[in-house]
Amino acid sequence: MTAHWVEKVLALYQSYGYLPYKMSRFEDYDLYVRNRDFLLSQRLITFPGEEGQLLALKPDVTLSVVKNAPEAPGVVEKVYYQENVYRSPPGGGPIRELPQAGLECVGDLSGYDQAEVLLLAALTLSALPGESVLDLSHMGLISQVLTSCRVSARHRPQVLAALERKSLHGLEGIPCHDKEKLELLISCSGSPEAVLPRLKAQLTAPEEAAALSQLERLCRILTDSGATCRIRLDFSVSNQLKYYNGLVFKGYTQGVPTSILSGGQYDRLPENMGKRCRAMGFALYLDLLQEEQPPYDLDLLILRNPRQTPEEILKLTREASREGRVLVAAQPPKNRTWKRLLDFRKGEDSPC
């Protein structure tokens, strides 16, 4: 991930009126304990504070944003961030310092605010080099289907696990009223043009139709936006039903085997904090997008002649350094590689 690319994405968020959000490295431990189910990693690094309270190295930015968000009618706080968080990477392992960027939209959200967050996620992916895909799902729709199929609370985790694995066998032994609807959600994946007609034909309950209508409208907005990432409906993108209640999405890019962007609507998080507001946002995992290392340490190696003056060599070095990495040496350095060699000892300019 180049610094230029990150700056471009942050400038995109600024252009839509989002303000930068900065937080300290530590937060109250209780904030994370009360909302453990929202965190990607349950492990925390804790330290005693100066006043005796227990602090934790921040594993997340969203919780801090929501904690400080306004609750006034008609007021929406829109912020973006670039922060390092401290948690285990996906798949486990030791806690690491992970660079992350993203945005949060919290407050009295409207349909426009929801569409804007989704659009910015699509434009973020579109700014990446190579092909990218944005997978969309809707936790409200999934929840309504589970309700209309009369899936009990005891069996819902099993159904969600089957959705995430796209496993029809995972539905075996689950008592429900209309298993065909559940099978449809598991097997139905692809472009909105291909998937939405199938869903609309079978998911006809009023609450299901309302969620489908919102999903269809958002897909149309993305299609008309000029975003170049591919849009795909996929209900294996389910996230935690405890907090997410509306649209959820994940972004993928060529060459990275896991999602590099994740977000959605999580109204239940501010509700769990006792706040009367709504929330939606996404995070971009910068550690997965680190810039590929170039095949050479140096673009140009200059082997100087002892008879050359410092002025002559410096003039050449200044000009060459505008286009890449340059090293001046008397002999070829060990453990370094270079693309071109300018050898004044022999009076040659040769590629190497």
Side-chain angles (χ1 to χ4, degrees):
M1 170 69 67
T2 64
H4 173 73
W5 189 91
V6 176
E7 291 173 0
K8 180 179 178 181
V9 169
L10 299 183
L12 169 68
Y13 306 154
Q14 287 179 339
S15 71
Y16 276 77
Y18 285 71
L19 296 174
Y21 185 85
K22 295 296 294 182
M23 62 179 293
S24 66
R25 187 172 295 181
F26 302 96
E27 276 277 7
D28 286 338
Y29 175 72
D30 287 346
L31 172 67
Y32 300 123
V33 171
R34 291 193 302 268
N35 300 280
R36 274 186 178 272
D37 292 339
F38 187 78
L39 300 176
L40 293 177
S41 173
Q42 301 293 307
R43 299 171 59 198
L44 299 172
I45 298 178
T46 59
F47 297 89
E50 293 182 357
E51 300 179 1
Q53 77 276 34
L54 194 60
L55 301 176
L57 271 175
K58 61 182 178 196
D60 178 84
V61 179
T62 301
L63 290 171
S64 175
V65 174
V66 174
K67 182 186 74 170
N68 297 299
E71 301 180 69
V75 176
V76 177
E77 181 172 74
K78 299 182 178 185
V79 299
Y80 72 89
Y81 62 88
Q82 182 183 0
E83 294 277 352
N84 290 338
V85 296
Y86 302 85
R87 62 168 176 251
S88 300
I95 293 177
R96 293 165 46 196
E97 183 178 32
L98 301 173
Q100 181 174 304
L103 60 81
E104 306 295 342
C105 188
V106 185
D108 190 7
L109 267 60
S110 65
Y112 168 79
D113 298 315
Q114 297 166 349
E116 182 183 77
V117 171
L118 183 60
L119 172 61
L120 288 172
L123 293 177
T124 298
L125 291 173
S126 299
L128 283 167
E131 296 183 1
S132 56
V133 178
L134 182 63
D135 279 353
L136 305 182
S137 180
H138 198 297
M139 295 307 297
L141 176 62
I142 293 173
S143 181
Q144 291 300 332
V145 170
L146 294 179
T147 299
S148 66
C149 292
R150 301 174 192 170
V151 178
S152 67
R154 183 166 67 92
H155 289 103
R156 288 193 174 202
Q158 186 178 346
V159 174
L160 290 175
L163 268 174
E164 291 177 0
R165 298 194 305 267
K166 296 188 177 183
S167 170
L168 293 173
H169 296 295
L171 298 178
E172 293 179 0
I174 297 178
C176 65
H177 174 65
D178 190 348
K179 187 169 287 188
E180 288 185 2
K181 285 187 176 183
L182 299 180
E183 292 174 345
L184 176 66
L185 288 183
I186 289 176
S187 60
C188 210
S189 176
S191 68
E193 295 80 9
V195 171
L196 283 170
R198 293 180 59 193
L199 296 175
K200 292 167 72 174
Q202 198 162 340
L203 306 183
T204 55
E207 296 83 1
E208 296 169 348
L212 273 178
S213 177
Q214 182 193 24
L215 200 55
E216 184 176 26
R217 184 171 63 253
L218 291 170
C219 288
R220 188 165 56 248
I221 289 172
L222 292 180
T223 301
D224 297 339
S225 70
T228 58
C229 66
R230 188 155 55 97
I231 307 301
R232 186 169 61 190
L233 294 181
D234 188 339
F235 296 98
S236 67
V237 181
S238 57
N239 281 333
Q240 304 104 317
L241 192 59
K242 182 174 181 179
Y243 282 112
Y244 286 89
N245 61 299
L247 189 74
V248 290
F249 48 88
K250 289 188 176 181
Y252 300 84
T253 191
Q254 188 174 0
V256 181
T258 187
S259 62
I260 53 96
L261 183 148
S262 179
Q265 185 174 346
Y266 51 92
D267 295 347
R268 293 194 179 101
L269 176 60
E271 179 183 338
N272 190 62
M273 292 182 175
K275 301 179 75 73
R276 296 181 301 276
C277 59
R278 307 171 69 191
M280 188 170 174
F282 61 84
L284 180 65
Y285 308 124
L286 300 179
D287 60 301
L288 299 176
L289 292 169
Q290 296 298 327
E291 183 180 13
E292 293 184 3
Q293 293 298 316
Y296 303 99
D297 299 323
L298 303 169
D299 293 293
L300 176 63
L301 171 63
I302 300 176
L303 296 179
R304 57 181 173 80
N305 188 309
R307 293 189 298 272
Q308 289 176 297
T309 66
E311 290 82 2
E312 291 174 329
I313 293 294
L314 284 172
K315 180 180 179 182
L316 179 61
T317 304
R318 284 198 302 269
E319 293 174 354
S321 64
R322 296 191 183 105
E323 299 181 5
R325 298 152 300 167
V326 182
L327 175 67
V328 177
Q331 299 292 334
K334 296 180 179 180
N335 302 321
R336 300 292 294 271
T337 58
W338 51 90
K339 185 176 182 180
R340 288 183 60 240
L341 171 64
L342 193 58
D343 192 346
F344 284 103
R345 301 173 309 170
K346 302 176 182 179
E348 296 177 358
D349 178 6
S350 59
C352 184

